[in-house]
Amino acid sequence: MEYEHLSTEKIEYKVFGLDCPEEIAILKKEVGGEIGILELDFDILNAKMIVTSTSGEITSDEVIAAVSAGGMQAILWEDWLKREEKESFWQRYGRSIATGVSGSLLACGFLAHWHQHGSFIDALVAGNDGKEHIFPLISIIFYISSIIAGGWFVAPKAFSALRRLRLDMNFLMVMAVIAATAIDEWFEAAAVTFLFSLSLLLEHWSIGRAQKAVTSLMDLAPTVARYRCPCDGDIIEAPVEEVPVGAMALVRPGEKIPLDGEVTKGSSSVNQAPITGESVPVSKEPGDEIFAGTINENGALEFKVTKAANDTTLARIIHMIQEARSRRALSEQWVDTFAKYYTPVMIVLAMTIIIVPPLLFSASWVEWIYRGLVILVIACPCALVISTPVSIVSGLTTAARNGVLIKGGIYLEKVGQLRALAMDKTGTLTFGHPEVQNIIPLNSHSQHELLERAVALEIHSEHPLARAILRCAEAKQISTNLVAENFQAIKGKGAEADIDGRFFWIGSHRFMEEKGGETLEIHQKVKALEDAAHSVMAIGNEEHICGLISGADGIRPEAVGAISEMKRLGLEHITVLTGDNTGTANAVATTVGIKDVRAELLPEDKVQAMEELVKDFGQVAMIGDGVNDAPAMAVASMGIAMGAIGSDVAIETADIALMTDDLITIPWLIRHSRNTMKIIKQNIWFALGLKAVFMGLALIGMATLWMAIVADIGATLLVIFNALRLLNSSHRTIKK
């Protein structure tokens, strides 16, 4: 959101204790309600809050005070970065220590009680049946101490929730513990506190696991780089932040590339898997782009730095992943809304169970208070609330590891719901540049001879078809020692030179006509190739035409398999939207198995076509290059950019950016999305189902407090580990 009519400022804060959606809701209430606050954004992975406010309306101290009112602590982000010790010992280990102390004291109280009253164990297993248990004073002291330790991080949030009249799970637990102590259930009060504290620790750990997954991306790029001093050429080693754009940097074999750049000297294979997910190293030569965080394998490289450290492709990927948590999936929003109403309803239900039977049916107050407390404990929405965000964070991080940048949980969710897909042709289904399609030798020459002479004549040319010839020769492992002497480029036509003492030329159809020697048979071959949208280059000498080489925008080899896989996954409609001519578009679409083709479209025509598709199918994605197809992407349910590595515009424009040009990533992404949503649904139904079962057991007096909390913590553990399974699906295994 822009506030053009206001003078605004944006300040970042580190918030200690910000690790789940519950805290975000608290901060929106406490900080968002302050005068002068225009907008709040959150990076939950780094516990960061970004405050946009009217300049001069609110101070940083007032924002920090508002955070404190919500039971958390905040400092300015820049102060956080300057700290030598990022977290104090207590901030880093306080939860673990408090939980450990609480558990130890609980065990001590239990053992002391057992020592004096062995029958207590039988009563504990059987549940509270209305009999009073005599607790030794030492046991009570241990239990109270356990409650204090376990509730150290919970109580401030519970009282803050009560003050705001927003009854969250922290309040629910504190209320249950207080009530349990009131009816002399000291052991169970302490057990509930300890197990709830353990549950929160597990929640904190699960978010930390996802944080480490993103941090591992940050650790991909080295912190220092070597570059040549522009004044005297000496090699300098400096932090990457201090290396200027335009500097000539060096990287040895086996080292990670520190910054984005363009190779100026040397050749090597570079492992780009950390960013793109590609399993095969990519060869790099002068003129090729290289990216920070990738690994130089077998040759020394010198490259010109093209981007500052904070603007590299890797830096932008990390930034987008961090921002993605603010674009929350609909399932996350549903869970939050559900929990908002669910907790008060559970409190009312528990109070009804506590009050109604004793008042109307003269039942035992102690017995029904106990049953009401069991309802309160099992009603805790811990497992429900944590399951979805952990699943989404895991899904987003795994996608990034596989070279797919998804800008929010909402898009991760949507991609699995796609019913239709629109694709640009050039650069999406095809390479976007010509590739050699036919090599036709004439007059007793061979394909090998033609390529050898073509390479000698075109070795220094930048013409797209010349580059295609060189790639073709490399793929066929044709290397030549032939040297073109007396070389002369004929502008707009071709080139000529002496090779091994003989005169040769290469050029267009028109150049061939000028040189002579074109027979009717050769003319018909050229005409047929040109009618098929091929560009033709002829090679000849003083005696005759040696042969023809044709090139055209080649179809990606994985396109047929990718389209087939998408259909198998249930996409109802796939269409091609292109500005290219109808004949070429139909030929490409027929080859890859797409029936609906809309060709010769202007950008506004693509927008109109996309509007029709959205109207007919609802969820429709547009796949393109993220620039030319931006208007159609904006109309689509989501835009997917192909080959976004190194392209800032593509990363900014699309909702999903594929770092490589690999179309097979699309069906992988659809499956990954559906798997993520399946896990979320499993977690939600499991958490709700378990609660329903234990509520039924509580109503008939078969569930105890400690059984309820063990069930709840078990549910929390299971949904967390179920969600974290997504982190292990880190490599694509689809066959092309």
Side-chain angles (χ1 to χ4, degrees), residues 427-455:
T428 302
L429 286 170
T430 65
F431 287 107
H433 54 75
E435 294 292 335
V436 172
Q437 303 295 328
N438 294 282
I439 303 172
I440 305 172
L442 302 168
N443 296 310
S444 301
H445 290 279
S446 67
Q447 288 190 356
H448 190 280
E449 285 181 279
L450 283 181
L451 277 176
E452 271 195 323
R453 283 155 179 74
V455 168

mmCIF file of all heavy atoms in Angstrom, residues 427-455:
data_model
loop_
_atom_site.group_PDB
_atom_site.id
_atom_site.type_symbol
_atom_site.label_atom_id
_atom_site.label_comp_id
_atom_site.label_asym_id
_atom_site.label_seq_id
_atom_site.Cartn_x
_atom_site.Cartn_y
_atom_site.Cartn_z
ATOM 1 N N GLY A 427 9.925 -19.110 -25.754
ATOM 2 C CA GLY A 427 10.636 -19.049 -24.479
ATOM 3 C C GLY A 427 10.013 -19.894 -23.390
ATOM 4 O O GLY A 427 10.599 -20.065 -22.325
ATOM 5 N N THR A 428 8.819 -20.450 -23.667
ATOM 6 C CA THR A 428 8.157 -21.304 -22.684
ATOM 7 C C THR A 428 8.069 -22.732 -23.213
ATOM 8 O O THR A 428 8.690 -23.644 -22.688
ATOM 9 C CB THR A 428 6.759 -20.751 -22.338
ATOM 10 O OG1 THR A 428 6.887 -19.425 -21.837
ATOM 11 C CG2 THR A 428 6.079 -21.621 -21.290
ATOM 12 N N LEU A 429 7.292 -22.916 -24.299
ATOM 13 C CA LEU A 429 7.276 -24.223 -24.954
ATOM 14 C C LEU A 429 8.510 -24.412 -25.830
ATOM 15 O O LEU A 429 8.947 -25.534 -26.072
ATOM 16 C CB LEU A 429 6.008 -24.357 -25.811
ATOM 17 C CG LEU A 429 4.702 -24.569 -25.047
ATOM 18 C CD1 LEU A 429 3.515 -24.435 -25.983
ATOM 19 C CD2 LEU A 429 4.687 -25.900 -24.334
ATOM 20 N N THR A 430 9.046 -23.297 -26.306
ATOM 21 C CA THR A 430 10.254 -23.349 -27.138
ATOM 22 C C THR A 430 11.413 -22.684 -26.409
ATOM 23 O O THR A 430 11.221 -22.048 -25.375
ATOM 24 C CB THR A 430 10.013 -22.643 -28.485
ATOM 25 O OG1 THR A 430 9.793 -21.246 -28.244
ATOM 26 C CG2 THR A 430 8.813 -23.234 -29.205
ATOM 27 N N PHE A 431 12.603 -22.788 -26.959
ATOM 28 C CA PHE A 431 13.788 -22.225 -26.321
ATOM 29 C C PHE A 431 13.813 -20.698 -26.369
ATOM 30 O O PHE A 431 14.457 -20.055 -25.549
ATOM 31 C CB PHE A 431 15.063 -22.759 -26.996
ATOM 32 C CG PHE A 431 15.353 -24.196 -26.676
ATOM 33 C CD1 PHE A 431 15.163 -25.177 -27.641
ATOM 34 C CD2 PHE A 431 15.801 -24.571 -25.427
ATOM 35 C CE1 PHE A 431 15.434 -26.508 -27.357
ATOM 36 C CE2 PHE A 431 16.073 -25.889 -25.134
ATOM 37 C CZ PHE A 431 15.884 -26.869 -26.106
ATOM 38 N N GLY A 432 13.163 -20.121 -27.375
ATOM 39 C CA GLY A 432 13.207 -18.663 -27.520
ATOM 40 C C GLY A 432 14.378 -18.204 -28.364
ATOM 41 O O GLY A 432 14.598 -17.021 -28.550
ATOM 42 N N HIS A 433 15.137 -19.151 -28.894
ATOM 43 C CA HIS A 433 16.239 -18.831 -29.812
ATOM 44 C C HIS A 433 16.390 -20.008 -30.773
ATOM 45 O O HIS A 433 15.987 -21.137 -30.466
ATOM 46 C CB HIS A 433 17.552 -18.588 -29.052
ATOM 47 C CG HIS A 433 17.940 -19.706 -28.142
ATOM 48 N ND1 HIS A 433 18.454 -20.904 -28.592
ATOM 49 C CD2 HIS A 433 17.868 -19.818 -26.793
ATOM 50 C CE1 HIS A 433 18.696 -21.703 -27.570
ATOM 51 N NE2 HIS A 433 18.353 -21.073 -26.460
ATOM 52 N N PRO A 434 16.940 -19.776 -31.976
ATOM 53 C CA PRO A 434 16.995 -20.855 -32.967
ATOM 54 C C PRO A 434 17.951 -21.964 -32.564
ATOM 55 O O PRO A 434 18.973 -21.728 -31.918
ATOM 56 C CB PRO A 434 17.462 -20.141 -34.237
ATOM 57 C CG PRO A 434 18.171 -18.926 -33.758
ATOM 58 C CD PRO A 434 17.479 -18.512 -32.502
ATOM 59 N N GLU A 435 17.594 -23.164 -32.970
ATOM 60 C CA GLU A 435 18.453 -24.332 -32.846
ATOM 61 C C GLU A 435 18.516 -25.006 -34.209
ATOM 62 O O GLU A 435 17.562 -24.946 -34.988
ATOM 63 C CB GLU A 435 17.896 -25.312 -31.803
ATOM 64 C CG GLU A 435 17.893 -24.796 -30.379
ATOM 65 C CD GLU A 435 19.295 -24.632 -29.809
ATOM 66 O OE1 GLU A 435 20.219 -25.322 -30.284
ATOM 67 O OE2 GLU A 435 19.467 -23.809 -28.891
ATOM 68 N N VAL A 436 19.632 -25.636 -34.501
ATOM 69 C CA VAL A 436 19.777 -26.325 -35.785
ATOM 70 C C VAL A 436 18.762 -27.464 -35.873
ATOM 71 O O VAL A 436 18.681 -28.307 -34.974
ATOM 72 C CB VAL A 436 21.211 -26.869 -35.956
ATOM 73 C CG1 VAL A 436 21.304 -27.764 -37.194
ATOM 74 C CG2 VAL A 436 22.198 -25.719 -36.066
ATOM 75 N N GLN A 437 17.968 -27.462 -36.951
ATOM 76 C CA GLN A 437 16.941 -28.489 -37.138
ATOM 77 C C GLN A 437 17.328 -29.498 -38.221
ATOM 78 O O GLN A 437 17.028 -30.678 -38.111
ATOM 79 C CB GLN A 437 15.604 -27.820 -37.517
ATOM 80 C CG GLN A 437 15.098 -26.794 -36.521
ATOM 81 C CD GLN A 437 14.748 -27.406 -35.178
ATOM 82 O OE1 GLN A 437 14.324 -28.551 -35.100
ATOM 83 N NE2 GLN A 437 14.932 -26.652 -34.101
ATOM 84 N N ASN A 438 17.975 -29.005 -39.297
ATOM 85 C CA ASN A 438 18.332 -29.881 -40.414
ATOM 86 C C ASN A 438 19.730 -29.551 -40.921
ATOM 87 O O ASN A 438 20.096 -28.375 -41.028
ATOM 88 C CB ASN A 438 17.348 -29.721 -41.577
ATOM 89 C CG ASN A 438 15.956 -30.188 -41.219
ATOM 90 O OD1 ASN A 438 15.668 -31.375 -41.186
ATOM 91 N ND2 ASN A 438 15.067 -29.229 -40.943
ATOM 92 N N ILE A 439 20.511 -30.579 -41.235
ATOM 93 C CA ILE A 439 21.801 -30.414 -41.909
ATOM 94 C C ILE A 439 21.717 -31.254 -43.183
ATOM 95 O O ILE A 439 21.638 -32.489 -43.122
ATOM 96 C CB ILE A 439 22.971 -30.890 -41.027
ATOM 97 C CG1 ILE A 439 22.965 -30.136 -39.685
ATOM 98 C CG2 ILE A 439 24.301 -30.687 -41.742
ATOM 99 C CD1 ILE A 439 23.959 -30.682 -38.680
ATOM 100 N N ILE A 440 21.689 -30.582 -44.337
ATOM 101 C CA ILE A 440 21.451 -31.260 -45.621
ATOM 102 C C ILE A 440 22.701 -31.132 -46.497
ATOM 103 O O ILE A 440 22.942 -30.083 -47.111
ATOM 104 C CB ILE A 440 20.236 -30.653 -46.346
ATOM 105 C CG1 ILE A 440 18.998 -30.690 -45.429
ATOM 106 C CG2 ILE A 440 19.966 -31.393 -47.655
ATOM 107 C CD1 ILE A 440 17.805 -29.940 -45.971
ATOM 108 N N PRO A 441 23.546 -32.167 -46.537
ATOM 109 C CA PRO A 441 24.744 -32.105 -47.394
ATOM 110 C C PRO A 441 24.375 -32.297 -48.877
ATOM 111 O O PRO A 441 23.456 -33.055 -49.199
ATOM 112 C CB PRO A 441 25.603 -33.261 -46.889
ATOM 113 C CG PRO A 441 24.650 -34.207 -46.252
ATOM 114 C CD PRO A 441 23.484 -33.414 -45.754
ATOM 115 N N LEU A 442 25.088 -31.603 -49.742
ATOM 116 C CA LEU A 442 24.858 -31.694 -51.182
ATOM 117 C C LEU A 442 26.191 -31.937 -51.889
ATOM 118 O O LEU A 442 27.261 -31.680 -51.324
ATOM 119 C CB LEU A 442 24.222 -30.399 -51.703
ATOM 120 C CG LEU A 442 22.890 -29.967 -51.079
ATOM 121 C CD1 LEU A 442 22.550 -28.543 -51.497
ATOM 122 C CD2 LEU A 442 21.772 -30.926 -51.464
ATOM 123 N N ASN A 443 26.099 -32.411 -53.101
ATOM 124 C CA ASN A 443 27.273 -32.578 -53.954
ATOM 125 C C ASN A 443 28.397 -33.361 -53.262
ATOM 126 O O ASN A 443 29.554 -32.925 -53.210
ATOM 127 C CB ASN A 443 27.794 -31.214 -54.415
ATOM 128 C CG ASN A 443 26.792 -30.486 -55.295
ATOM 129 O OD1 ASN A 443 26.289 -31.068 -56.256
ATOM 130 N ND2 ASN A 443 26.480 -29.246 -54.956
ATOM 131 N N SER A 444 28.009 -34.509 -52.703
ATOM 132 C CA SER A 444 28.957 -35.477 -52.129
ATOM 133 C C SER A 444 29.651 -35.008 -50.851
ATOM 134 O O SER A 444 30.644 -35.617 -50.426
ATOM 135 C CB SER A 444 30.030 -35.861 -53.171
ATOM 136 O OG SER A 444 29.434 -36.413 -54.321
ATOM 137 N N HIS A 445 29.162 -33.947 -50.231
ATOM 138 C CA HIS A 445 29.723 -33.530 -48.943
ATOM 139 C C HIS A 445 28.999 -34.265 -47.808
ATOM 140 O O HIS A 445 27.910 -34.824 -47.997
ATOM 141 C CB HIS A 445 29.582 -32.017 -48.769
ATOM 142 C CG HIS A 445 30.469 -31.227 -49.685
ATOM 143 N ND1 HIS A 445 31.801 -30.993 -49.423
ATOM 144 C CD2 HIS A 445 30.206 -30.629 -50.881
ATOM 145 C CE1 HIS A 445 32.326 -30.280 -50.396
ATOM 146 N NE2 HIS A 445 31.377 -30.047 -51.309
ATOM 147 N N SER A 446 29.593 -34.263 -46.606
ATOM 148 C CA SER A 446 28.990 -34.922 -45.434
ATOM 149 C C SER A 446 28.541 -33.868 -44.414
ATOM 150 O O SER A 446 28.966 -32.713 -44.464
ATOM 151 C CB SER A 446 29.993 -35.864 -44.771
ATOM 152 O OG SER A 446 31.067 -35.118 -44.200
ATOM 153 N N GLN A 447 27.685 -34.304 -43.480
ATOM 154 C CA GLN A 447 27.245 -33.404 -42.403
ATOM 155 C C GLN A 447 28.446 -32.934 -41.586
ATOM 156 O O GLN A 447 28.515 -31.763 -41.180
ATOM 157 C CB GLN A 447 26.242 -34.121 -41.490
ATOM 158 C CG GLN A 447 24.880 -34.341 -42.119
ATOM 159 C CD GLN A 447 23.863 -34.831 -41.098
ATOM 160 O OE1 GLN A 447 24.195 -35.080 -39.936
ATOM 161 N NE2 GLN A 447 22.612 -34.955 -41.518
ATOM 162 N N HIS A 448 29.393 -33.820 -41.344
ATOM 163 C CA HIS A 448 30.576 -33.474 -40.565
ATOM 164 C C HIS A 448 31.359 -32.361 -41.253
ATOM 165 O O HIS A 448 31.777 -31.384 -40.611
ATOM 166 C CB HIS A 448 31.450 -34.719 -40.391
ATOM 167 C CG HIS A 448 32.570 -34.530 -39.414
ATOM 168 N ND1 HIS A 448 33.750 -33.879 -39.729
ATOM 169 C CD2 HIS A 448 32.691 -34.896 -38.105
ATOM 170 C CE1 HIS A 448 34.537 -33.854 -38.676
ATOM 171 N NE2 HIS A 448 33.922 -34.480 -37.672
ATOM 172 N N GLU A 449 31.537 -32.484 -42.574
ATOM 173 C CA GLU A 449 32.258 -31.452 -43.328
ATOM 174 C C GLU A 449 31.538 -30.114 -43.244
ATOM 175 O O GLU A 449 32.165 -29.059 -43.045
ATOM 176 C CB GLU A 449 32.385 -31.862 -44.796
ATOM 177 C CG GLU A 449 33.408 -32.936 -45.089
ATOM 178 C CD GLU A 449 33.462 -33.246 -46.576
ATOM 179 O OE1 GLU A 449 32.587 -34.018 -47.041
ATOM 180 O OE2 GLU A 449 34.350 -32.701 -47.259
ATOM 181 N N LEU A 450 30.215 -30.149 -43.444
ATOM 182 C CA LEU A 450 29.430 -28.911 -43.416
ATOM 183 C C LEU A 450 29.594 -28.188 -42.081
ATOM 184 O O LEU A 450 29.814 -26.980 -42.027
ATOM 185 C CB LEU A 450 27.948 -29.209 -43.659
ATOM 186 C CG LEU A 450 27.510 -29.506 -45.094
ATOM 187 C CD1 LEU A 450 26.010 -29.753 -45.136
ATOM 188 C CD2 LEU A 450 27.881 -28.352 -46.019
ATOM 189 N N LEU A 451 29.467 -28.939 -40.976
ATOM 190 C CA LEU A 451 29.575 -28.313 -39.654
ATOM 191 C C LEU A 451 30.979 -27.785 -39.400
ATOM 192 O O LEU A 451 31.150 -26.704 -38.822
ATOM 193 C CB LEU A 451 29.182 -29.316 -38.558
ATOM 194 C CG LEU A 451 27.681 -29.450 -38.282
ATOM 195 C CD1 LEU A 451 27.420 -30.543 -37.253
ATOM 196 C CD2 LEU A 451 27.088 -28.131 -37.802
ATOM 197 N N GLU A 452 31.985 -28.526 -39.831
ATOM 198 C CA GLU A 452 33.362 -28.057 -39.648
ATOM 199 C C GLU A 452 33.581 -26.702 -40.322
ATOM 200 O O GLU A 452 34.139 -25.775 -39.727
ATOM 201 C CB GLU A 452 34.346 -29.080 -40.236
ATOM 202 C CG GLU A 452 34.779 -30.157 -39.268
ATOM 203 C CD GLU A 452 35.999 -30.904 -39.776
ATOM 204 O OE1 GLU A 452 36.088 -31.130 -41.001
ATOM 205 O OE2 GLU A 452 36.858 -31.256 -38.938
ATOM 206 N N ARG A 453 33.156 -26.587 -41.601
ATOM 207 C CA ARG A 453 33.358 -25.336 -42.332
ATOM 208 C C ARG A 453 32.467 -24.217 -41.789
ATOM 209 O O ARG A 453 32.882 -23.053 -41.736
ATOM 210 C CB ARG A 453 33.119 -25.564 -43.827
ATOM 211 C CG ARG A 453 34.315 -26.282 -44.479
ATOM 212 C CD ARG A 453 33.948 -27.059 -45.730
ATOM 213 N NE ARG A 453 35.134 -27.708 -46.317
ATOM 214 C CZ ARG A 453 35.730 -28.772 -45.823
ATOM 215 N NH1 ARG A 453 35.270 -29.327 -44.710
ATOM 216 N NH2 ARG A 453 36.787 -29.294 -46.409
ATOM 217 N N ALA A 454 31.251 -24.592 -41.364
ATOM 218 C CA ALA A 454 30.347 -23.581 -40.797
ATOM 219 C C ALA A 454 30.918 -23.005 -39.503
ATOM 220 O O ALA A 454 30.849 -21.800 -39.256
ATOM 221 C CB ALA A 454 28.970 -24.186 -40.544
ATOM 222 N N VAL A 455 31.511 -23.879 -38.671
ATOM 223 C CA VAL A 455 32.111 -23.418 -37.416
ATOM 224 C C VAL A 455 33.278 -22.486 -37.704
ATOM 225 O O VAL A 455 33.432 -21.431 -37.067
ATOM 226 C CB VAL A 455 32.573 -24.625 -36.568
ATOM 227 C CG1 VAL A 455 33.458 -24.157 -35.414
ATOM 228 C CG2 VAL A 455 31.369 -25.390 -36.032
#
